[in-house]
Structures are given as structure tokens and as C-alpha cells.
Amino acid sequence: VSSSSDFQQDRHSFSGSPQKWNDFELPGDTLYYRFTSDMSNTEWGYKFTVTAGHLGRFQTGFEILKQMLSEERVVPHLPLAKIWEWQVGVACRQIGHQRLKAIHLLLKIVQCSSQRDCDLTLLKPLWQLFTHMENNLCHDVSKPGILLPLHRALAELFFVTENRVTELGSLQEYLLALNTEDHLHRCTAQ
């Protein structure tokens, strides 16, 4: 197996039992393979699976989705509701820079979605994280009020999302869906 037709670049050769085969990656979008039998056996040969991209690699998925969401002619053809649901789950599971990138994609989806493409109530876990960060910022008056990157990203996401639901005329339903009953009672009492 190679990434060039002359079998000189990124060459991987295998022979013998399946246990001797290892997973490997080839750069590019094309692979070349050659199967040669020594006729010493009457079995059918080898079976292998080719998977495009880096399966399970966050950065690859991020770059692809970011590019697709940046192309105005592509966006109408995307299943935004499914992408939204998946991406909210990614943002909830990831940490650090990967969470920031996931939130960046959520922001792009909110900005390019039309009408009710996305179930914005799925943001509830991220809203709880944001309100927790807000409460900690308000209670800790000894530290300067500089927002952490995650806090800034969530603030922007919820600012844009609130504007979006206001345009759609569903702000009340959105706010009720994101908050717990206990939180609503505390706000009402205040």
C-alpha cells in the first residue's frame, strides 16, 4: 500500500498472517495497493478497510466543519439540526481548547441557521456552566474582572443566541427551557 502509483512514497508492505497487519495512515486522498500471491496457498487473500480522514480526531472534524459553515452555498445543504445536536454534545464533553473550538462552531451555526434549524434548548448544560462561572465571578470581588476565554466564548454564544430567539419570537420559551425551576423561583424572589 502506498500514496504514490510507483509505490515509493509512504509504502507499507505486509505478508503472512493477519496478526502481522497494523493500522496506518496515509496522507492525501488516494491510495494505491498491489496484491501479489506466491501461490503457496489456496485461501482467498486479505481484506482491509480504508477510512477517510482521521477517525476520531477532533482537529480534523473541527477544520472540516468550520470550512463547510463558512461556505454560504454549502450551508443550505447541511443537516444543521443534526450537526447542532452533535456539536452541543461535543462542546459539553470536551475541555480546554477543544471546548472553545466546539463553542466557536456552535456560534457559527447559530449565525448561519435559518428560522428554527437548531434546538437551542440543548444548550442547557452549557448555560449551567456559564451561570456557574458568572456566579463565581460575582462572588470573588478580590480578583480583577477579566473573563477567561471559556467565559468570553460562552458569553458571546448566549448573547448571539438570545438575539436569535428574540428575532424568532421565542425568547420566553428559550429562557424557560434553559433554567431550572429553582433558578426561576430565586430570580422571581429577587
Side-chain angles (χ1 to χ4, degrees):
V1 180
S2 175
S3 62
S4 64
S5 59
D6 63 0
F7 293 90
Q8 297 302 309
Q9 296 177 337
D10 306 304
R11 183 179 172 154
H12 299 269
S13 296
F14 301 96
S15 178
S17 68
Q19 289 76 22
K20 293 183 179 180
W21 285 64
N22 297 320
D23 289 348
F24 61 93
E25 295 181 12
L26 285 179
D29 60 359
T30 305
L31 71 84
Y32 300 88
Y33 70 94
R34 183 179 329 165
F35 176 78
T36 307
S37 173
D38 64 4
M39 305 295 274
S40 65
N41 229 335
T42 58
E43 296 180 27
W44 65 272
Y46 286 100
K47 175 182 175 183
F48 57 93
T49 303
V50 177
T51 306
H54 299 283
L55 187 62
R57 297 252 174 109
F58 180 88
Q59 188 62 31
T60 301
F62 170 77
E63 292 297 334
I64 291 169
L65 190 52
K66 182 176 79 169
Q67 186 62 39
M68 290 171 62
L69 291 169
S70 298
E71 298 288 334
E72 288 183 31
R73 67 183 192 277
V74 173
V75 171
H77 304 286
L78 296 175
L80 285 180
K82 288 184 181 197
I83 293 172
W84 173 262
E85 184 178 340
W86 173 77
Q87 194 60 35
V88 169
V90 170
C92 291
R93 287 187 308 273
Q94 295 297 332
I95 58 171
H97 290 291
Q98 290 181 339
R99 178 176 273 172
L100 286 174
K101 288 179 176 184
I103 291 169
H104 171 77
L105 291 177
L106 289 173
L107 185 58
K108 286 183 88 57
I109 294 170
V110 167
Q111 291 170 330
C112 70
S113 65
S114 63
Q115 300 193 10
R116 297 182 185 268
D117 283 335
C118 307
D119 180 0
L120 298 175
T121 63
L122 295 175
L123 291 173
K124 187 172 186 168
L126 293 175
W127 175 254
Q128 290 170 340
L129 174 63
F130 177 68
T131 55
H132 177 74
M133 294 176 93
E134 284 282 300
N135 290 337
N136 286 347
L137 183 69
C138 293
H139 293 316
D140 192 357
V141 292
S142 65
K143 293 183 180 174
I146 298 173
L147 300 181
L148 298 171
L150 175 59
H151 194 176
R152 285 195 315 268
L154 288 170
E156 184 176 7
L157 174 65
F158 287 111
F159 177 75
V160 170
T161 303
E162 187 176 319
N163 286 337
R164 187 80 181 118
V165 294
T166 301
E167 290 171 9
L168 297 172
S170 56
L171 180 62
Q172 185 174 355
E173 296 87 4
Y174 167 72
L175 292 175
L176 287 172
L178 288 186
N179 290 289
T180 63
E181 193 172 319
D182 183 50
H183 179 75
L184 294 173
H185 286 299
R186 278 197 313 264
C187 290
T188 305
Q190 287 176 349

